[in-house]
Amino acid sequence: MPHPLPRSLEISPSGPLTGSVTVPGDKSISHRSLMLSALAVGESRIEGLLEGEDVLATAAAMRAMGTDIERGADGVWLVNGVGVGGLLQPGEALDMGNSGTSTRLLMGLVSSHPITATFIGDASLSKRPMGRVIEPLSRMGADITASPGGRLPLMVRGLCPAVPIEYTLPVASAQVKSAILLAGLNTPGITRVIEPVATRDHSERMLRGFGAELSVEVTNRGRIISLTGEAELKPQSIVVPGDPSSAAFLVVAASIVPGSDVLVANVGLNPTRAGLFEVLRMMGADITEENPRIVGGEPVADLRVRHAALRAVDVPHHLAPSMIDEYPVLFVAAAFAEGRTVARGAHELRVKESDRIVAMAEALGACGVQTEEFEDGLAIQGSGGEPIAGGATIASKLDHRIAMSMVVAGLAAKTALVIDDVSPIATSYPNFLETLDALRR
């Protein structure tokens, strides 16, 4: 799939952010909506699908394996599924672009189908290790040939019937859990995943919603998720809530720019995804939930955010899985707090689109913020609410969350800063910059 050309952007300090905005559909739910709709028999409707590059990579891959997927003129996506076990041999390599979620979850799907698929990606994705997914899927019988270091390009030769396994996650990872469960859909018997630390549970919720036989038991070993294979999935009408990871950037921006008052509408608040909002409230952020409701089995609310004086905290380690993608923008919030924030428990940041610990330490350091790097996070000395220095050129490192986080930091800097490449933002939040501009007017 085509990738955007690099584009630099200068971010100048902002006056108050005001107004009401919506954020794109939840990326995790969007991926899973397409995949599970493709495995149902009949037509599913998806409203609010995130139309960023990562999700479009998933759509393209499902089309390549025989699924009819169309976007209607009204923005509703229609998916005519082929049924569990019905995926076809793709005619060419599946280009995952920058999407680790697409890659890992689709590896699971392919692993229990009698097909072979080659996965390729961009330079950033090709550096990310896939070994944590390769290991359990190989136990289920898939033959996986990867590039050195367990990286892309790689080839998955599925086994049908695959072998059900019981697998304890060595590290908290919703992607690994989901890959195993998706492989289990076309595997006879019961596939079990044990997660000692709970991770986002969109897969469990959606699998049940599509009709899979799935149970979750909380034990002293952790959550035991059991899926009965050779499932028959039923088509659904899905409304995708707003992505809390995308909302996070606007929430932090409104919190640190004096005079701001912003309403972010229709934000998904699944407890396994809402850790950042809990930590920001611990820091003194003024965040209220309006019009709370349930949409498609997921809790949703409108978030009203006003500027507030933030204070440093030690981030509780148990919240890390529920905010792993939000650590970069949390580091930005900490840069404006009173005192020294310590945010650890996030080893996973080392193997995202970039090494986000290094990337954010360098970026904030270039703007005059003192940081201390740990293997699993950062300590940040805050400014006490004063503007940070700015005036630097920031390397986004092909990482959408680094780029967006430092755009937010630039809104409250003394002098303008330059992001060397904001094109990666299109992977998850294509109209992010336009949304910010609307709030600055």
Side-chain angles (χ1 to χ4, degrees):
M1 61 187 298
H3 305 295
L5 295 174
R7 178 167 69 95
S8 65
L9 181 71
E10 181 176 280
I11 304 299
S12 57
S14 176
L17 307 177
T18 57
S20 176
V21 295
T22 58
V23 293
D26 185 283
K27 186 150 73 91
S28 296
I29 295 175
S30 293
H31 283 302
R32 290 160 174 81
S33 295
L34 288 170
M35 293 180 194
L36 295 181
S37 295
L39 296 179
V41 177
E43 183 178 86
S44 293
R45 292 169 50 87
I46 308 173
E47 296 182 45
L49 188 84
L50 169 63
E51 297 181 7
E53 291 174 354
D54 283 10
V55 174
L56 296 181
T58 291
M62 299 315 301
R63 287 192 188 101
M65 292 187 284
T67 306
D68 182 13
I69 301 176
E70 294 183 1
R71 183 190 189 277
D74 57 358
V76 175
W77 288 68
L78 303 178
V79 182
N80 284 285
V82 298
V84 172
L87 296 181
L88 302 179
Q89 174 73 40
E92 55 187 21
L94 303 178
D95 187 347
M96 299 290 94
N98 190 242
S99 181
T101 301
S102 302
T103 305
R104 295 186 176 105
L105 270 58
L106 289 172
M107 286 172 63
L109 278 186
V110 170
S111 288
S112 58
H113 281 72
I115 62 177
T116 298
T118 298
F119 293 83
I120 62 175
D122 68 9
S124 172
L125 181 62
S126 298
K127 295 177 182 177
R128 299 177 67 180
M130 298 294 160
R132 63 179 59 176
V133 180
I134 292 172
E135 198 269 332
L137 295 180
S138 297
R139 288 196 197 182
M140 299 181 76
D143 180 7
I144 302 175
T145 304
S147 297
R151 292 174 167 82
L152 269 59
L154 61 77
M155 179 180 292
V156 179
R157 299 176 181 86
L159 177 67
C160 186
V163 179
I165 61 172
E166 179 176 292
Y167 188 77
T168 299
L169 296 178
V171 296
S173 173
Q175 292 181 3
V176 177
K177 171 180 66 176
S178 298
I180 297 167
L181 293 175
L182 290 173
L185 282 173
N186 198 40
T187 300
I190 298 177
T191 296
R192 288 190 176 90
V193 179
I194 302 169
E195 52 175 10
V197 178
T199 64
R200 59 184 64 177
D201 65 353
H202 299 305
S203 291
E204 296 95 304
R205 290 175 184 250
M206 295 192 71
L207 282 164
R208 282 200 192 104
F210 273 85
E213 185 179 337
L214 181 144
S215 65
V216 179
E217 181 184 4
V218 179
T219 72
N220 56 9
R221 291 194 293 165
R223 296 174 77 244
I224 301 177
I225 303 122
S226 301
L227 175 73
T228 300
E230 297 183 312
E232 295 184 9
L233 303 186
K234 301 176 180 62
Q236 302 293 313
S237 291
I238 301 165
V239 178
V240 180
D243 194 325
S245 296
S246 295
F249 300 100
L250 303 177
V251 169
V252 171
S255 296
I256 65 174
V257 176
S260 295
D261 185 347
V262 172
L263 183 75
V264 188
N266 194 44
V267 180
L269 294 177
N270 184 307
T272 64
R273 296 285 303 285
L276 175 72
F277 306 131
E278 183 175 344
V279 172
L280 289 174
R281 288 188 178 107
M282 291 169 56
M283 298 174 73
D286 184 353
I287 305 170
T288 57
E289 296 178 15
E290 300 182 359
N291 190 24
R293 55 205 183 272
I294 301 295
V295 177
E298 295 275 349
V300 173
D302 306 327
L303 298 182
R304 182 75 174 270
V305 190
R306 300 176 179 88
H307 170 255
L310 303 181
R311 57 183 177 273
V313 297
D314 286 349
V315 177
H317 284 209
H318 74 272
L319 290 177
S322 66
M323 56 180 290
I324 196 68
D325 287 330
E326 290 72 67
Y327 266 81
V329 79
L330 170 65
F331 296 153
V332 171
F336 292 89
E338 179 70 42
R340 186 174 187 262
T341 294
V342 180
R344 301 188 64 175
H347 296 87
E348 184 75 8
L349 297 179
R350 295 288 187 184
V351 290
K352 291 290 187 177
E353 284 84 337
S354 67
D355 182 331
R356 288 178 174 165
I357 294 172
V358 169
M360 287 304 297
E362 291 177 351
L364 290 173
C367 293
V369 179
Q370 294 181 13
T371 66
E372 180 183 356
E373 182 180 331
F374 306 106
E375 179 58 32
D376 59 347
L378 289 177
I380 303 101
Q381 183 63 47
S383 69
E386 295 299 315
I388 62 174
T393 296
I394 305 299
S396 67
K397 300 182 183 292
L398 298 176
D399 191 326
H400 56 131
R401 301 207 192 276
I402 302 302
M404 286 188 282
S405 295
M406 293 311 297
V407 167
V408 170
L411 298 176
K414 290 179 182 176
T415 56
L417 57 84
V418 174
I419 314 295
D420 71 339
D421 185 9
V422 294
S423 66
I425 291 174
T427 65
S428 64
Y429 197 161
N431 65 339
F432 172 66
L433 297 172
E434 291 79 5
T435 299
L436 268 185
D437 284 342
L439 292 174
R440 297 177 77 176
R441 294 194 183 104

